[in-house]
Amino acid sequence: MLSDRRGAELGTILTEVRHDLKHLKNELLQRGGDGIDLTALNQAIERTEDKIKAKVEQAVVCSSNEVTTLLPPIAPTAANKVMLPSMSYAHRNAKRAAAVYPNQLTPGQLVKHQHNMQILMSPTHPTNRKVLRDTYGVVTADSSAVTSKHTSQQSVHRKTITGSTSSHLTLLPTANRKSTTVPPPVVSNSDAKKGLISLLERGLIPPSTDIQLNPPPFVPQQVQLHQLGPAKVRSAMEKRIAENKDTAARWATVKLDMSGTNQESVKKPIPPVKKMIEVKSLALDMATSRPDRVAQTPPPSTPDIDDVHKLTIHGGELLTSAKEFYLFKANNEPNWGPIVTMLKRFEKFCQFYAIPILFLDGHKVASLASEYELEYSPSKELMIECVVNRTAVNQLLNEKGRQYKGVQGKHLAAAKIQATYRMYCQRMAYIEYRRKQWAAGVIMMSWLMYMKLYNVKEKLKKTRKQHLENFHNKTKILRDSWDRITQCKRLIIHLPSKGYPQHVRATIKEFRTMQSLQMARLCDVRDPDTDVIYISPVKISKEVEDYYQQLLAMRPGPRGNYFLLHPENLHKFRKHNMSLSTLMKYSPRTMKRLENLITGKETYIITDVMSYDDLAMSDRLDIPILSPDPDVSQLYSNKSGAKRIFTSAEVACPASIVDVFSMNQLIEGIASLVVNNLSVRRWLFKIDDQKHGRGIAYCDVADHLKCYSWALRERERFGEKWNKRWAQDYTIQRVISELPSILSSETHFSDPNLFNKWDCFLEAFFLKGGVIEAYPPSESVTSITANMVIAPNGTISLLSTGDQICPEPFRVWGVSLPQCSVEPHLLEEICHRIAKACRSRGIIGYFSIDFVTFISPDNGEQQLWATGLDISYGDTSLYGLLSYVTNCKMAQGELLVPVKNESRRRYAVLSNQLYHSNLAVLQYPVFFQICKAHLIGYDMEAQQGTLFALVESNQRQSIGMITVGSSLGQAISSYARNLSIIHQEVSTPSNPGHNNFQSVCRELEIISELLLQNQIDLDK
């Protein structure tokens, strides 16, 4: 840019010189050549030299690779032509230059010389004859005419002509540019005359074509390279600078050649004027300033490949003044329009990303421009492929926020901030909209689900209400026709379904095995008028069928028929602890067979634990059930409901608080119970809906209560007033302060697998409710079970009473018949009172009552407390098996068995809770062979021995057993002996298996020792 500015200043000065010379020339013409003062003329020229001398030297030295526009020459016309008398202007100028610089030409003379040579080489050029005349003095015949004509043309045609000066060249069609499979176009003669390079640049010849020229335009030769040291380089540079200074000084010696025909008329002195100089600036390299090196420069038609392909964009602007740009433009003139557009895109690209310098591959740029001439804009990746310094450019592009450093960076940043903020606002609005939409969807779906669930519940309520109404109607019919049904042929469907709530069934392992413990119900066929349909929760094998067939054949005389059924879809519900009545709902073939079997017969159902699925089955089969409705059964089968029945029956029961649902109620209740019953040392916590000893926790509060002895002294101090509330307040407060820590650390559980922490137990306790109950204050406590039945017509029957055998606390394993702990008539009276209370509440069917008896430490009398009520079939099935085989009867608390036409007293031990994992490896025939080898069997004549009740056939790990003896000790010892033999046969010291045989044997041995000690005491 500095060279352009200095060149412009030089052009301005030369223009002023031209103006002065024109003025001088006009004055000379007006005077007619008289009185020309040459001294004044030389002084004017010298003054002009002083003005331009400094500028010429700087312009010549600093000009590099630039060509300025040639100033228009002062063309002489025929009218004002001045003929100097001596010699021509060119001859005198050459002579003067030769005198001053005998060895070299000035830069202006060199440029003019080259320009004249080009004109002379073109005979048709309009100034050819003029240059020939001025340079060599050759005057043609029509020189003045041609000169005059050309001058007149120059004076006339001053208007600038616009428009295209060349015809359009043929380009490669778009189809060939997009696809290489399209045949190449035909090259015409006019296109072929443009040259091989033109064809390549326009794409008419594919770039991949292998072109060979014969002979080749360039012949390689060996060149000797001279090593140029630093001193030589410095001397060469100084020499060139000196030459440039000499060249600048030569501009001051330029004189006008005033030779002409009117030389004598110039006599007057003229004022000094500026010398007219015709200059054409040419950007020359230091190496090309000498004439011998100009010839070595390659012609424009064969440029250097690296120069053509290397374009520079500096500061976002293309360097159009560079030599490479001119060469690239000359080689791509046919396709220059698309290339200019592409270069503009690269400039915008550099300005956008603030790239300081960018080097482009010209060939790739031309290729990219031709490809995207009429198509969409190229991508950034394609543009990067054209960049030579792409590594540095990629590093800049990879910088975060690089586009904000460009020309439009502030605007882009402001637009980005605004767009981001608008996006944030819109995003927040959209999120809020989606949240509301989601909330609306959730509300809608919740409402739909609620309505569907509500409709289903309403339908279930209506269905259950209808089932319950039908159940009450059938029960009423059964009550009215019970006497008739018991006297005629009837059919009993035994459905051992335990309809516990889902949360209870889910915590019971081997739930199907528990439901299959009552297969001894088949013994109801002892009445010839009774047929039995037993629905098994498991598939019964042929071995079990044969065993029960032989067992039922042991009793002589007629008997009823029996049918064994099971739901056909048992395998589809292996992992679901579903009650048997629920499984029957999903077994249509079994239900259809039941309908066929009961057609035309007096039929009723005996279930185990009543549920609404039993009502559905009863309603479908249109037969009654010998059981109370499910709500009544669940209400009075739990611990709190049983307490209400015992209270209404005025039966003695332990001190307790029912329906406990909160921690405050628990602490205050147990504190009050402890203060009122200081003789009770252990207190029980029972969850309402748990059965079979599950869900019971116990704590010895008195043993861990620090104020217990002080409370005893307080009771003695107050005496009879101790029962007053005001006398117990302070004691209750002290007990309350100690209870939480004692309960959390000293509480034990009957089933550690179900509950092992106080917090877990309390959660279930408060969820379902529970009972706080006193444990008998005695070291010797006996539990008693009484099995009863209430017929539909209200008849109450006591089926059996027995002492419970509990090898583990609160876990009943079996019973011994009859009970020998309390007076039979007292127990029978209490049982009838409880049964009447149950009958008044609509309870019919089978149920069992649990009692505890002990010797009171206060008065030494025997106490009998009612502790539990279970409205289910229970262990009645084993008593039915015993009754079927022995034909026994319960009378006045004794078990009487007919032996040789005489009624003899017999004792029995019954249990269906035997479990041994090693029994699964034995088949039932092998098991009975082992028992036969050890003389384990039953004697029908003596009505003594052992009976087995096979439970299920899938795993064969559980079994039921009954031993009958003439005394209780004999029955217990036989039971213990049988268990010991079976355990030894199926176990090894290294593999004892998981069983309860050993714990039961230990408990039976303790009972045998107590019986023996009692017998010795009686004898004494």
Side-chain angles (χ1 to χ4, degrees):
M1 301 302 292
L2 182 60
S3 61
D4 292 344
R5 181 173 57 82
R6 291 175 176 173
E9 294 176 356
L10 180 59
T12 304
I13 296 172
L14 294 179
T15 304
E16 294 178 356
V17 172
R18 175 188 175 187
H19 178 71
D20 294 340
L21 292 177
K22 278 187 177 182
H23 180 69
L24 179 60
K25 185 183 294 184
N26 293 333
E27 289 184 356
L28 292 176
L29 292 176
Q30 290 176 2
R31 294 182 182 182
D34 297 331
I36 298 177
D37 189 359
L38 296 178
T39 304
L41 181 59
N42 290 330
Q43 291 179 358
I45 294 174
E46 288 177 359
R47 286 195 302 269
T48 306
E49 288 177 359
D50 294 335
K51 287 185 178 181
I52 67 173
K53 188 173 183 179
K55 298 295 181 180
V56 170
E57 182 179 356
Q58 296 178 3
V60 173
V61 174
C62 296
S63 61
S64 177
N65 298 329
E66 296 180 1
V67 179
T68 57
T69 306
L70 182 64
L71 295 175
I74 305 174
T77 60
N80 56 9
K81 184 174 181 182
V82 179
M83 300 300 294
L84 298 179
S86 59
M87 60 183 67
S88 65
Y89 172 80
H91 181 68
R92 290 202 304 165
N93 191 15
K95 184 177 181 181
R96 187 181 298 110
V100 179
Y101 305 102
N103 296 326
Q104 289 187 349
L105 297 176
T106 62
Q109 292 174 349
L110 180 61
V111 173
K112 187 175 181 179
H113 175 71
Q114 293 179 356
H115 180 64
N116 292 338
M117 291 302 296
Q118 293 179 1
I119 294 174
L120 293 175
M121 295 299 294
S122 178
T124 59
H125 197 278
T127 61
N128 179 268
R129 290 181 176 84
K130 180 180 178 299
V131 173
L132 187 62
R133 182 198 63 194
D134 294 341
T135 305
Y136 299 101
V138 179
V139 181
T140 56
D142 53 350
S143 174
S144 13
V146 173
T147 304
S148 177
K149 183 179 179 180
H150 178 67
T151 306
S152 62
Q153 287 180 356
Q154 285 186 348
S155 61
V156 174
H157 298 287
R158 295 292 184 179
K159 186 177 180 180
T160 303
I161 300 174
T162 59
S164 177
T165 60
S166 62
S167 60
H168 296 285
L169 299 178
T170 304
L171 298 178
L172 186 66
T174 306
N176 293 83
R177 281 181 260 156
K178 291 184 177 180
S179 176
T180 58
T181 60
V182 179
V186 179
V187 180
S188 61
N189 294 332
S190 61
D191 292 332
K193 291 180 181 180
K194 300 296 181 180
L196 186 62
I197 296 178
S198 177
L199 295 177
L200 286 172
E201 292 177 348
R202 286 183 287 161
L204 298 179
I205 297 178
S208 61
T209 304
D210 186 10
I211 301 175
Q212 295 182 359
L213 300 179
N214 192 12
F218 301 99
V219 179
Q221 293 182 358
Q222 187 175 4
V223 179
Q224 184 179 0
L225 300 178
H226 301 279
Q227 186 173 3
L228 188 62
K232 295 182 179 181
V233 172
R234 186 179 297 108
S235 63
M237 292 295 294
E238 293 175 353
K239 183 178 180 180
R240 291 182 182 179
I241 292 173
E243 291 177 357
N244 290 336
K245 290 183 179 180
D246 295 340
T247 303
R250 292 185 194 131
W251 285 94
T253 62
V254 177
K255 304 295 181 179
L256 293 176
D257 188 2
M258 304 301 295
S259 60
T261 55
N262 298 328
Q263 185 175 3
E264 295 81 7
S265 62
V266 181
K267 296 179 180 179
K268 293 182 181 180
I270 60 175
V273 295
K274 297 180 181 179
K275 187 184 351 180
M276 176 182 177
I277 302 174
E278 193 174 293
V279 180
K280 180 180 179 181
S281 62
L282 178 65
L284 298 175
D285 192 279
M286 302 297 293
T288 62
S289 62
R290 294 172 55 183
D292 55 346
R293 296 200 176 185
V294 174
Q296 296 179 6
T297 304
S301 60
T302 59
D304 187 26
I305 300 302
D306 294 337
D307 294 341
V308 172
H309 287 184
K310 187 174 181 181
L311 303 178
T312 305
I313 300 178
H314 184 271
E317 295 183 359
L318 181 65
L319 298 183
T320 57
S321 60
K323 179 180 67 176
E324 293 84 355
F325 176 78
Y326 286 108
L327 297 176
F328 174 73
K329 181 178 180 182
N331 291 332
N332 296 276
E333 190 67 30
N335 296 332
W336 188 244
I339 293 176
V340 170
T341 304
M342 187 59 62
L343 292 175
K344 292 294 183 181
R345 290 176 180 170
F346 277 102
E347 288 181 347
K348 294 180 180 179
F349 176 78
C350 293
Q351 294 172 3
F352 185 79
Y353 289 102
I355 298 176
I357 187 167
L358 185 71
F359 298 104
L360 298 176
D361 189 339
H363 179 71
K364 293 184 179 180
V365 171
S367 177
L368 185 64
S370 61
E371 182 178 356
Y372 288 90
E373 177 182 358
L374 300 175
E375 302 295 333
Y376 53 87
S377 300
S379 62
K380 183 172 69 174
E381 289 75 12
L382 293 177
M383 296 178 68
I384 292 297
E385 291 295 328
C386 301
V387 178
V388 177
N389 57 335
R390 68 185 64 176
T391 303
V393 172
N394 284 328
Q395 291 179 357
L396 295 177
L397 294 179
N398 292 333
E399 292 181 2
K400 294 183 179 180
R402 185 66 187 179
Q403 63 272 23
Y404 304 117
K405 297 181 180 180
V407 177
Q408 301 294 330
K410 294 183 179 180
H411 299 283
L412 291 176
K416 183 64 176 180
I417 293 172
Q418 293 177 4
T420 304
Y421 181 72
R422 293 193 187 100
M423 180 196 69
Y424 171 78
C425 296
Q426 294 298 325
R427 179 64 179 172
M428 292 297 102
Y430 177 71
I431 291 175
E432 182 66 17
Y433 168 75
R434 289 296 302 270
R435 188 186 67 81
K436 292 180 180 179
Q437 187 181 26
W438 171 82
V442 170
I443 293 173
M444 180 185 66
M445 293 303 298
S446 301
W447 175 251
L448 291 176
M449 294 300 297
Y450 171 78
M451 290 305 300
K452 289 183 179 180
L453 185 61
Y454 175 79
N455 294 333
V456 171
K457 286 183 177 180
E458 290 297 321
K459 290 181 180 179
L460 287 177
K461 287 181 180 179
K462 292 181 181 179
T463 303
R464 289 183 175 182
K465 185 178 180 180
Q466 185 65 35
H467 290 168
L468 193 59
E469 291 178 357
N470 296 336
F471 169 77
H472 288 307
N473 295 333
K474 293 183 180 66
T475 303
K476 184 178 180 180
I477 296 173
L478 181 65
R479 183 179 64 247
D480 296 339
S481 59
W482 180 253
D483 294 335
R484 179 182 58 82
I485 292 174
T486 55
Q487 299 297 326
C488 66
K489 190 73 173 179
R490 57 191 179 275
L491 178 63
I492 301 175
I493 299 177
H494 279 283
L495 185 69
S497 173
K498 293 186 177 295
Y500 296 140
Q502 172 62 30
H503 68 277
V504 176
R505 288 186 278 111
T507 58
I508 299 177
K509 296 181 179 179
E510 302 296 335
F511 183 70
R512 290 189 181 180
T513 303
M514 178 182 291
Q515 293 185 118
S516 63
L517 297 176
Q518 302 179 13
M519 197 169 178
R521 292 188 183 200
L522 291 173
C523 295
D524 282 352
V525 297
R526 61 179 175 270
D527 187 354
D529 294 333
T530 303
D531 294 337
V532 174
I533 298 177
Y534 178 77
I535 302 176
S536 174
V538 295
K539 188 176 181 179
I540 302 175
S541 64
K542 182 65 175 176
E543 296 174 352
V544 177
E545 290 184 13
D546 294 342
Y547 172 77
Y548 275 100
Q549 188 175 2
Q550 296 176 8
L551 183 64
L552 295 177
M554 293 174 62
R555 179 174 177 170
R559 56 183 176 83
N561 300 322
Y562 66 92
F563 304 92
L564 298 177
L565 301 177
H566 69 274
E568 69 269 14
N569 291 325
L570 286 173
H571 61 281
K572 296 182 179 179
F573 303 97
R574 295 180 183 273
K575 298 181 180 180
H576 299 77
N577 288 351
M578 302 173 66
S579 63
L580 183 58
S581 58
T582 306
L583 291 172
M584 288 297 294
K585 292 171 62 177
Y586 302 103
S587 303
R589 287 188 293 178
T590 305
M591 294 295 294
K592 185 64 177 178
R593 188 178 179 187
L594 276 176
E595 292 176 355
N596 296 333
L597 290 175
I598 66 177
T599 302
K601 299 179 181 179
E602 296 289 344
T603 309
Y604 60 92
I605 300 174
I606 298 178
T607 184
D608 190 3
V609 179
M610 190 67 171
S611 66
Y612 278 96
D613 290 333
D614 298 291
L615 296 183
M617 183 177 176
S618 171
D619 189 72
R620 179 174 178 178
L621 297 176
D622 196 18
I623 53 178
I625 303 177
L626 186 60
S627 178
D629 64 72
D631 295 333
V632 174
S633 177
Q634 294 179 7
L635 176 62
Y636 295 108
S637 288
N638 59 33
K639 307 298 185 299
S640 299
K643 296 295 181 181
R644 296 187 182 94
I645 290 182
F646 298 154
T647 302
S648 63
E650 298 180 355
V651 175
C653 57
S656 61
I657 297 178
V658 300
D659 297 329
V660 179
F661 288 93
S662 64
M663 190 67 181
N664 293 333
Q665 189 179 1
L666 174 69
I667 298 298
E668 293 177 359
I670 191 173
S672 178
L673 290 174
V674 168
V675 172
N676 283 287
N677 303 273
L678 291 174
S679 59
V680 178
R681 308 188 69 84
R682 174 176 292 181
W683 294 91
L684 308 179
F685 308 92
K686 299 181 179 180
I687 300 177
D688 274 343
D689 58 354
Q690 294 291 341
K691 305 292 182 181
H692 305 289
R694 303 168 77 250
I696 297 178
Y698 57 93
C699 179
D700 297 330
V701 178
D703 295 341
H704 301 90
L705 200 62
K706 297 179 181 179
C707 63
Y708 182 73
S709 58
W710 174 82
L712 291 176
R713 292 193 299 270
E714 287 292 309
R715 185 180 64 174
E716 293 178 359
R717 185 169 67 87
F718 282 97
E720 296 180 354
K721 298 179 181 180
W722 179 249
N723 294 330
K724 302 296 182 179
R725 179 68 181 179
W726 56 267
Q728 300 176 356
D729 282 342
Y730 183 67
T731 307
I732 291 175
Q733 293 300 324
R734 291 194 60 178
V735 173
I736 289 176
S737 63
E738 298 182 23
L739 275 178
S741 59
I742 295 175
L743 295 177
S744 61
S745 59
E746 303 298 335
T747 303
H748 304 278
F749 307 96
S750 62
D751 188 358
N753 296 326
L754 184 61
F755 301 106
N756 56 4
K757 293 182 179 180
W758 175 246
D759 296 336
C760 298
F761 179 82
L762 282 182
E763 183 179 356
F765 188 84
F766 296 146
L767 181 63
K768 299 299 179 181
V771 173
I772 304 173
E773 183 180 289
Y775 187 78
S778 176
E779 295 181 356
S780 176
V781 179
T782 304
S783 299
I784 303 173
T785 296
N787 295 319
M788 304 185 70
V789 61
I790 301 176
N793 59 359
T795 303
I796 299 174
S797 302
L798 179 62
L799 300 178
S800 64
T801 58
D803 295 328
Q804 296 179 359
I805 301 174
C806 302
E808 298 177 3
F810 312 106
R811 303 297 297 272
V812 179
W813 169 79
V815 294
S816 62
L817 299 179
Q819 65 85 23
C820 304
S821 300
V822 297
E823 293 295 331
H825 66 277
L826 177 62
L827 180 62
E828 185 175 353
E829 179 186 358
I830 294 175
C831 289
H832 277 80
R833 288 162 57 184
I834 295 173
K836 290 179 181 179
C838 292
R839 184 179 60 185
S840 65
R841 287 167 172 77
I843 299 175
I844 61 174
Y846 295 86
F847 62 95
S848 60
I849 308 172
D850 295 334
F851 300 91
V852 292
T853 180
F854 61 96
I855 303 299
S856 175
D858 296 336
N859 51 22
E861 296 181 357
Q862 186 178 11
Q863 300 289 330
L864 182 64
W865 289 350
T867 57
L869 178 65
D870 185 13
I871 304 177
S872 64
Y873 198 79
D875 296 332
T876 309
S877 60
L878 287 180
Y879 176 75
L881 176 60
L882 177 65
S883 177
Y884 180 85
V885 175
T886 62
N887 198 18
C888 63
K889 295 181 179 180
M890 291 290 297
Q892 297 179 355
E894 294 182 352
L895 185 65
L896 301 178
V897 178
V899 179
K900 297 180 181 181
N901 298 326
E902 295 182 1
S903 295
R904 295 188 180 182
R905 183 183 298 176
R906 289 288 182 265
Y907 296 87
V909 178
L910 300 81
S911 176
N912 57 4
Q913 302 290 334
L914 295 175
Y915 177 84
H916 204 299
S917 59
N918 291 344
L919 286 174
V921 301
L922 296 178
Q923 297 293 332
Y924 283 129
V926 178
F927 173 75
F928 288 122
Q929 289 293 333
I930 293 174
C931 294
K932 186 177 181 180
H934 291 86
L935 301 178
I936 299 175
Y938 189 78
D939 187 358
M940 291 296 296
E941 294 182 359
Q943 293 294 337
Q944 296 181 9
T946 303
L947 297 172
F948 291 99
L950 302 184
V951 174
E952 47 87 20
S953 60
N954 290 337
Q955 297 178 350
R956 300 190 302 275
Q957 296 178 354
S958 299
I959 195 172
M961 186 170 66
I962 302 174
T963 57
V964 181
S966 58
S967 64
L968 181 59
Q970 181 183 0
I972 291 177
S973 60
S974 298
Y975 210 107
R977 172 180 172 274
N978 294 342
L979 291 180
S980 178
I981 291 174
I982 295 173
H983 177 70
Q984 292 177 2
E985 290 294 332
V986 300
S987 302
T988 60
S990 61
N991 184 22
H994 182 61
N995 64 89
N996 60 356
F997 282 27
Q998 295 174 333
S999 60
V1000 171
C1001 287
R1002 289 192 295 268
E1003 183 68 18
L1004 293 177
E1005 289 175 359
I1006 294 173
I1007 296 174
S1008 298
E1009 292 176 358
L1010 290 176
L1011 292 175
L1012 182 60
Q1013 185 66 31
N1014 292 337
Q1015 185 66 32
I1016 294 174
D1017 293 342
L1018 289 175
D1019 293 341
K1020 291 181 179 180

